[in-house]
Amino acid sequence: MTTAAGHTEAIRASRVIGTAVSNQQGEHIGTIEDVILDKTSNNIMFAVIGFGGFLGIGESYHSIPWSVLDYEKSQGGYVVPFTKEQLEAAPHDSIDALTKGDGTGARDKSYEYYNVPPYWM
Amino acid sequence: MTTAAGHTEAIRASRVIGTAVSNQQGEHIGTIEDVILDKTSNNIMFAVIGFGGFLGIGESYHSIPWSVLDYEKSQGGYVVPFTKEQLEAAPHDSIDALTKGDGTGARDKSYEYYNVPPYWM
């Protein structure tokens, strides 16, 4: 797994933001809108993917575990192992709601939905 | 410790980038230029602070452990527990060099210099 710059592990957050996301069927899913960081535990909580909408109106944001994002050089973006249907049915909300309080609500829901082992246990 | 938005733990990477950094003596140190993420371990490797220079020419970048950044609402930015002299003598380089390979070179040097317990052991 390498980043756009050919790195294997170290990735600049500013380069992650704005990167396209597709699924393994080659369908465009959305764009990385932000990465949510945990101040107290040194962990990346989740990525936020924007799924469209017009000028941000009606745009829906999904929290997705960082570890499921694989950078695919040939696609010029991240690939996630989910179908469009799985993603459409996934927990989503406004970014403010996703990062509300300590953000663990959206984090826990997304790890559970995508069946990703929690990093915090 | 709270973010600008009043959160306690969940912080948007896009809001961290560009935030001012000062020390406990109230001296302006620089600006968070980027946050370096570890793709394979779910961890935040380090923050990159820019220390000035003109139009990016001669600008010097320091890698700094994420855990030492405390957000101070009254300052509108992060505060680090180091003197200007400590920071001036700290390891620094271009951002490309800091994130070279897997980024562990710059990470290890900065944790050692600032005497911060490594998260990866």
Side-chain angles (χ1 to χ4, degrees):
Chain A
M1 181 186 317
T2 53
T3 69
H7 298 152
T8 47
E9 291 185 352
I11 306 178
R12 297 177 62 165
S14 63
R15 293 202 180 154
V16 174
I17 296 166
T19 301
V21 180
S22 57
N23 64 15
Q24 288 168 341
Q25 289 75 46
E27 295 167 306
H28 177 74
I29 299 300
T31 303
I32 306 276
E33 183 72 20
D34 220 326
V35 183
I36 309 303
L37 309 175
D38 190 330
K39 184 63 195 84
T40 56
S41 82
N42 209 64
N43 275 287
I44 304 160
M45 296 187 76
F46 51 83
V48 174
I49 301 181
F51 279 72
F54 182 66
L55 299 177
I57 299 160
E59 177 139 24
S60 134
Y61 296 97
H62 291 214
S63 50
I64 199 159
W66 174 246
S67 58
V68 304
L69 295 172
D70 274 337
Y71 192 82
E72 286 286 344
K73 215 169 181 174
S74 61
Q75 305 253 12
Y78 291 102
V79 172
V80 293
F82 307 120
T83 65
K84 215 158 189 171
E85 290 68 33
Q86 274 181 297
L87 290 158
E88 277 167 0
H92 59 276
D93 218 323
S94 67
I95 296 187
D96 280 350
L98 291 178
T99 54
K100 203 178 162 187
D102 59 9
T104 53
R107 182 196 69 177
D108 294 1
K109 263 198 270 181
S110 77
Y111 276 74
E112 196 187 331
Y113 181 81
Y114 295 112
N115 201 21
V116 172
Y119 63 79
W120 59 91
M121 281 176 188
Chain B
M1 181 187 317
T2 54
T3 68
H7 298 152
T8 48
E9 290 185 355
I11 307 178
R12 297 177 62 165
S14 62
R15 292 203 180 153
V16 174
I17 296 167
T19 300
V21 179
S22 57
N23 65 15
Q24 288 168 340
Q25 290 74 47
E27 295 167 306
H28 177 75
I29 299 301
T31 304
I32 305 277
E33 182 72 21
D34 220 327
V35 183
I36 309 303
L37 309 175
D38 190 329
K39 185 62 195 84
T40 55
S41 83
N42 208 64
N43 276 288
I44 304 160
M45 296 187 76
F46 51 83
V48 174
I49 302 181
F51 279 72
F54 182 66
L55 299 177
I57 300 159
E59 177 139 25
S60 135
Y61 296 97
H62 292 215
S63 49
I64 200 159
W66 175 245
S67 58
V68 303
L69 295 171
D70 275 338
Y71 191 83
E72 286 286 343
K73 215 168 181 173
S74 62
Q75 304 252 12
Y78 292 101
V79 172
V80 293
F82 307 120
T83 65
K84 215 159 188 169
E85 289 68 33
Q86 275 181 296
L87 289 157
E88 276 167 0
H92 59 275
D93 217 324
S94 68
I95 296 188
D96 280 350
L98 291 178
T99 54
K100 203 178 162 187
D102 59 9
T104 53
R107 182 195 68 176
D108 295 1
K109 263 197 271 181
S110 78
Y111 275 73
E112 196 187 332
Y113 182 81
Y114 296 112
N115 201 21
V116 172
Y119 63 80
W120 60 91
M121 282 176 186

